[in-house]
Amino acid sequence: MRVLIVGGYGVFGLRLATLLADRAELTILLGGRSRTRSEQAARDLDGAARFEPCVFDRDGDLVEQLSALRPQVLVDCSGPFQVYGKAPWRLVEACIAARVHYLDLADGTDFVLGIGAYDDAARKAGIFVLSGVSTCPALTGAAVRAITLGWRRLDSISAGIAPSPHADVGLNVIRALTSYAGRPVRLLRDGRVSEGAGLVETRQETIAPPGRPPMKRTLFSLVDVPDLVLLPTIWPGLQSIWFGAGPRPEILHRMLNLLARMVSWGWPIPLVPLSALFHQVKSRLKWGEDRGGMFVTVEGLGPEGGPCAGTWSLITEGEDGPFIPSMAAASVLTKVLSGEWPAFGARSGAEALELSDYEPFFSARRIRTGRRVHPAPEEPLYRRLLGPAWSDLAPAVRAMHDLSDEDHKADGAVEVRRGTSLLARLLATILKLPLSGPMRSLSVGFHRSGEKEHWIRKFGDRSLASQQAEGAGSRQGLLLESFGAITIPLALVVESGELHLFSRGWSLLGIALPRLLGPRIHAREWQADGLFHFEVEICAPGGALVLGYQGRLRSPESARVTPPGSSSGER
């Protein structure tokens, strides 16, 4: 099969070619205006597929070029589709005339919505024409279907993408963003068609796949994507939908917010012509964690008819994130090669794929995903937060957190260390923290009340009490542990059967405060000799130890995994 990738040496075209490189059945034509760049890309690519450089000018005689190159499938990875001019579908029309199957990575709302006008012509030509075969709306639609399988009703969808600040963001992506910055964006609010201002409306979200290290809380701004109009047609009862982008570093994002707001006020700022400048700045100013992510959150009525909420999250590491927009097209072509052809006709790619189609591409790279669905509060807190990662915990760790509505108690031994700095001693005195000392008795009481848990740790004659609950909104997926007026969001990470808890900020009386000024907590829980073991370290700003304690616990639940022959002294 001959596949022509228009923009074959660009950011997404080159990655699509890389994803398909191992398919010996393919001859991949790397099309673009520059033969030099096309030839260089063909030399750099390696794999079983055959790579051919070629010149392809989308502003030239398209039918003549297609006739000369003879592709069976064309994938348009060029863009930006938001500014294709007066005849945006010229390439689609040429593919229909030449009977060449067509895919694109378009994320321009009007472009993707307009593709349906070519449905009859594509059917008569015996080809498929799919637009928006990319993150938006193909991956979004697949995620929503996976979360809501069996649901009775879908009420709201909110989603967002946050690329790594180190990722190579192409100029066309910047041009797409600036094309609607400060402009009206169509969306659905409370069941009514409404408008928002592009890159002006903002939200804070935490992307946290179950059991994986979450991303830092990220600022998302409203973007104009086809999902905002297409998904309500797939789920007609939908009441609200919102989609945001979270470009980083955040200071650059907020500067773009300000410019977008000025445009919304009527200031004549030529943002699209300034895209090249923005791109240069973005390419040079790179800092922060080299991770990207995506979230899709839905609410509605679950299989039993009660209120239900679910989230699908994705996190990428390093340079693997920019492959995701090309994975939908790679998945469609992989299915074609196995004989699963899309139905002929022209339509969006919102229903072209399922999440299972992406899994081979996700698993081959540093891309981790996970789902949380919250149909009922009767599930124990940690089980809800960890979702499918719960089963990866060691039995003794699961038993300690698998709380019923009854009071629960665990006994064991603990060793305590207090910090020696002046601040540590002052905090320990004010908070009446336990004294330093060798192994001593420890008793931990657990009380579950609805969706919350109350913990009381008794170190001899001293106690340390806290309340734990599930985070919501921008702290969704995190465990919120409150010590009086102070609340610490904690990320739950599962590694080799162990549970790690890391602090991700803090708040006082419900007011979020700078992370650098707050405490830092790291806890580890694991199973050894059939018992539940733990270690906790609480540090002051700057890293000075305030309190550390480690030990073991035995509870009625964990007794089931205690190996025969363990002495009572060891317990």
Side-chain angles (χ1 to χ4, degrees), residues 423-435:
L423 178 59
R425 293 199 301 270
L426 178 62
L427 289 174
T429 301
I430 295 174
L431 299 175
K432 297 181 180 180
L433 297 178
L435 300 172

Side-chain angles (χ1 to χ4, degrees), residues 161-246:
I161 301 171
S164 165
H166 300 270
D168 180 14
V169 178
L171 174 59
N172 284 338
V173 174
I174 304 296
R175 292 178 66 195
L177 286 172
T178 56
S179 69
Y180 53 75
R183 310 294 181 187
V185 174
R186 289 170 289 175
L187 71 165
L188 199 62
R189 299 188 205 268
D190 301 322
R192 296 171 179 260
V193 177
S194 182
E195 288 184 346
L199 298 181
V200 174
E201 289 188 25
T202 62
R203 297 183 182 183
Q204 294 273 356
E205 299 285 348
T206 297
I207 299 177
R212 301 288 181 181
M215 290 176 57
K216 295 179 180 178
R217 190 163 56 169
T218 303
L219 177 71
F220 288 87
S221 296
L222 176 67
V223 291
D224 188 3
V225 291
D227 312 54
L228 297 173
V229 180
L230 279 173
L231 299 192
T233 66
I234 299 173
W235 289 278
L238 198 65
Q239 298 295 299
S240 300
I241 185 168
W242 194 91
F243 204 106

Side-chain angles (χ1 to χ4, degrees), residues 147-156 235-239 298-309:
I147 299 170
T148 60
L149 184 65
W151 284 27
R152 295 188 181 183
R153 193 179 75 202
L154 179 57
D155 294 334
S156 70
W235 289 278
L238 198 65
Q239 298 295 299
V298 297
E299 295 179 350
L301 296 182
E304 305 301 323
C308 201

Side-chain angles (χ1 to χ4, degrees), residues 278-340:
F278 296 151
H279 182 253
Q280 291 181 16
V281 173
K282 175 68 178 69
S283 299
R284 286 165 173 76
L285 298 182
K286 299 181 178 182
W287 66 82
E289 58 179 353
D290 194 4
R291 311 174 79 204
M294 178 178 178
F295 75 92
V296 178
T297 298
V298 297
E299 295 179 350
L301 296 182
E304 305 301 323
C308 201
T311 297
W312 175 83
S313 305
L314 171 151
I315 284 183
T316 71
E317 307 288 346
E319 299 178 355
D320 288 336
F323 281 93
I324 292 176
S326 302
M327 286 182 178
S331 298
V332 171
L333 290 172
T334 298
K335 290 165 72 74
V336 166
L337 291 174
S338 65
E340 297 182 56

Side-chain angles (χ1 to χ4, degrees), residues 339-421:
E340 297 182 56
W341 286 75
F344 294 161
R347 58 196 175 279
S348 81
E351 299 180 89
L353 298 166
E354 305 299 333
L355 276 185
S356 57
D357 297 318
Y358 287 88
E359 289 304 327
F361 296 102
F362 288 162
S363 60
R365 299 188 177 275
R366 293 173 297 170
I367 299 174
R368 300 294 178 262
T369 67
R371 276 181 276 169
R372 288 188 184 87
V373 178
H374 311 291
E378 61 266 15
E379 281 194 333
L381 175 60
Y382 283 70
R383 186 190 288 266
R384 292 202 312 271
L385 284 167
L386 289 173
W390 169 263
S391 60
D392 297 332
L393 289 174
V397 180
R398 289 201 306 267
M400 191 59 63
H401 293 290
D402 202 6
L403 304 184
S404 65
D405 288 326
E406 300 177 355
D407 289 352
H408 178 63
K409 183 179 179 182
D411 297 310
V414 64
E415 178 183 358
V416 180
R417 295 175 295 119
R418 268 194 185 185
T420 58
S421 68

Side-chain angles (χ1 to χ4, degrees), residues 109 149 167 198 234 250 252 402 434 456 476 503 549 563:
T109 300
L149 184 65
I234 299 173
E250 187 171 311
L252 299 181
D402 202 6
I456 301 178
Q476 184 173 329
S503 57
Y549 56 94

